[in-house]
Amino acid sequence: MSLKSICTLLAIAAAVAPAVVSASGATSTPPSVLLDTMHTELDRAMHSLAKGDQQPAPYFISYEVADASTLNLVAQYGAIVTASQGHRRVADVQVRIGSPALDNTHGDHRTSALTTINLPLTDDREAIARSLWFATNRGYGKALDGYLKVKTETQVRAKEEDGSPDFSVEKPADSEAKAVAPLAADMEAWKSRLREISASFKPYKNIFFNYAALTASNETDYFTSSEGTRIANPYTTARLVVVARARADDGMDLFRVETFEADTLDHLPDQKAVLEKLTALAKNLEALRTAPVTQPFNGPAILSGRASAVFFHEVLGHRLEGQRQRGDEEGQTFTKSLGKPILPDFLSVVDDPTIAALHGVPLNGHYSYDDEGQPAQRVELIRDGVLKTFLMSRLPIASVSTSNGHGRAQTGRMPAGRQGNLIVSSSKSVNDAELRKMLIEEAKKQGKPYGLFFEDISSGFAVTTRRSPQAFQVIPLVVYRIYVDGRPDELVRGVSIVGTPQAALNRILATGDRQEIFNGECGAESGSIPVSAVAPAMLVSEIETQRQQQGTARPPILPPPGMDEEGK
């Protein structure tokens, strides 16, 4: 299927250090050369590009530049395999021809507005201007071709269900924060740490693959448009990801991921804290190898806060993104549900990218301005179960005509309405012990020998188009059976959660009293972007699971070097 029809969420575990992804550490002088050159060249293009009926002038141009210094280290089996530092400047040039009511981005031609190009790494005004000039001319040609196709198609195709404009009219923004300083890191010290982290799996002979990856970035994003918007928006991130894989005797591949995140390298957890978590991860992965494979199940379950957060991101969040409410291909699950209940009345949902951290944990979906130069906004999506609005970029829909600061995209992609920090709250909450008791009672009521508890989640995806079933899938990593007869909880493997959104959302019975955070990367039609989902644990009366792919490869026959047949 195309990217337009599938949205994927990948796991990034919550950080253990109380840090904020922000520009608070920025110290260098505002780099006015880059932003001033962008503004000057954009103004020249707006006043100089072709005019007339055959070659109409653009009504809108924007330049967005990501200027980032980066670090990337990867260790495997106790040795460094990748070590690099870099600097990049990438510009997205957007050109729109026609009018906000109908332009070259209409329908399937969204990408005709976008041209992406690398910019000089130095503040060479002339070289930057010529690069932008080249990209703008090329972008104008793409936009003109797209506009001619759009005009032809509107004459020969049936009237669209949603005839909203292609671009909203917004107030310009002006915010020039100081640029973040170039990234500085003690490479040798971090190489030593990663070697030790990766080597910590050596005693476990059944863990046949592992890697530890450190990435960090100091980035300043610049945005200027023909409407007068002028923004310099800096931020910094640091992330340590550790992955370990094993294989059961029956061929099923198993893996665990532990991620630590902060605003800077200095704020990542110390080595002792990292190694303690990895020891627990390795032991759990060994236990999963011999755990029984679960059979398809339909019954009550508890999703931990992290699992619940992924559930809401996939099942609900994507279906509340604005562009999914228009177009002949979209399923439009909740398009006609404004002002109507779509969740139990004890649940409310907001998306608030203005929050940098929650409960001392940084939120991956925090940003100050979206990728269309609009200020980030707190959006109340659902209040007491009732749908209030959608997550909007500058692509209007019939029920919402303006942006609410959620136009987001990976560099090189057109922005779309996307999630930032999706936060679920509940007025019907109980403690963990009571929630577990309610699970057992519900299982007994249904005549089930057990309910399920989903502790950790790796990823999920949602299908939102009409041509495919309106379904979702969530891939758990750690699942337990909770028996009604008092037997000890049993770790199981090979489980995935499946279902359809409206049925799943209406089976929520109660929630826990503590919110948990899932930080991740979400991939959809506008690319991969950082997101967070926050939710309490959740009891559902009925959840459907299916078996994951079994796999046919055998575990390694030969033990690792330096380890005898017994191993550890």
Side-chain angles (χ1 to χ4, degrees), residues 216-483:
S217 174
N218 282 13
E219 181 170 329
T220 305
D221 290 336
Y222 303 93
F223 186 93
T224 185
S225 77
S226 55
E227 296 171 324
T229 294
R230 184 182 170 105
I231 296 168
N233 183 36
Y235 65 93
T236 63
T237 60
R239 180 180 303 151
L240 173 62
V241 181
V242 184
V243 177
R245 288 180 56 196
R247 183 173 291 142
D249 290 340
D250 59 12
M252 182 175 289
D253 282 313
L254 305 162
F255 74 95
R256 290 296 313 274
V257 181
E258 193 69 60
T259 304
F260 309 89
E261 214 169 338
D263 61 337
T264 67
L265 289 168
D266 291 340
H267 290 163
L268 287 169
D270 62 30
Q271 193 77 338
K272 180 181 178 182
V274 172
L275 294 175
E276 287 176 352
K277 280 191 170 285
L278 296 184
T279 297
L281 179 149
K283 290 179 179 179
N284 177 263
L285 190 53
E286 289 275 23
L288 277 172
R289 287 190 65 255
T290 57
V293 177
T294 188
Q295 299 302 313
F297 176 79
N298 189 22
I302 292 175
L303 284 74
S304 73
R306 278 172 48 78
S308 176
V310 174
F311 177 89
F312 277 102
H313 174 97
E314 295 295 350
V315 179
L316 179 69
H318 280 301
R319 289 171 174 80
L320 300 186
E321 293 167 342
Q323 71 279 1
R324 307 196 193 288
Q325 318 312 317
R326 64 181 284 180
D328 296 335
E329 292 186 3
E330 287 293 345
Q332 301 180 6
T333 309
F334 299 116
T335 301
K336 304 296 184 181
S337 297
L338 281 177
K340 299 177 182 178
I342 63 170
L343 285 178
D345 61 10
F346 55 85
L347 292 174
S348 296
V349 182
V350 302
D351 193 290
D352 192 351
T354 68
I355 301 177
L358 191 64
H359 311 313
V361 177
L363 297 183
N364 219 37
H366 164 63
Y367 57 90
S368 299
Y369 289 87
D370 72 8
D371 293 300
E372 295 179 309
Q374 298 302 302
Q377 296 181 35
R378 179 185 186 273
V379 177
E380 185 181 51
L381 294 166
I382 298 170
R383 185 198 305 160
D384 300 330
V386 177
L387 179 62
K388 296 297 182 180
T389 192
F390 300 102
L391 297 171
M392 297 299 298
S393 66
R394 294 189 66 173
L395 177 66
I397 59 177
S399 55
V400 187
S401 61
T402 57
S403 170
N404 52 31
H406 282 74
R408 307 187 65 199
Q410 179 182 343
T411 300
R413 299 288 186 91
M414 279 289 287
R418 301 286 295 277
Q419 298 168 72
N421 294 326
L422 191 77
I423 302 173
V424 180
S425 59
S426 171
S427 61
K428 186 179 180 181
S429 60
V430 298
N431 61 35
D432 290 346
E434 182 63 23
L435 201 65
R436 178 187 174 95
K437 181 181 177 181
M438 293 174 68
L439 170 67
I440 293 173
E441 291 175 351
E442 183 66 26
K444 288 180 178 178
K445 177 182 174 183
Q446 296 183 23
K448 305 289 184 182
Y450 58 82
L452 294 178
F453 174 64
F454 298 90
E455 180 179 279
D456 197 15
I457 293 287
S458 97
S459 61
F461 71 86
V463 181
T464 64
T465 56
R466 297 182 190 182
R467 66 178 64 183
S468 302
Q470 292 295 291
F472 66 88
Q473 184 174 14
V474 175
I475 311 299
L477 292 175
V478 181
V479 184
Y480 292 90
R481 288 174 179 160
I482 310 295
Y483 285 97

Side-chain angles (χ1 to χ4, degrees), residues 512-526:
D513 56 3
R514 293 180 298 107
Q515 289 178 319
E516 294 183 33
I517 297 167
F518 184 97
N519 281 323
E521 295 282 339
C522 176
E525 66 269 48
S526 64

Side-chain angles (χ1 to χ4, degrees), residues 71 85 183-188 190 265:
L71 175 148
Q85 288 183 280
L183 180 65
D186 187 338
M187 289 285 282
E188 292 308 314
W190 276 106
L265 289 168

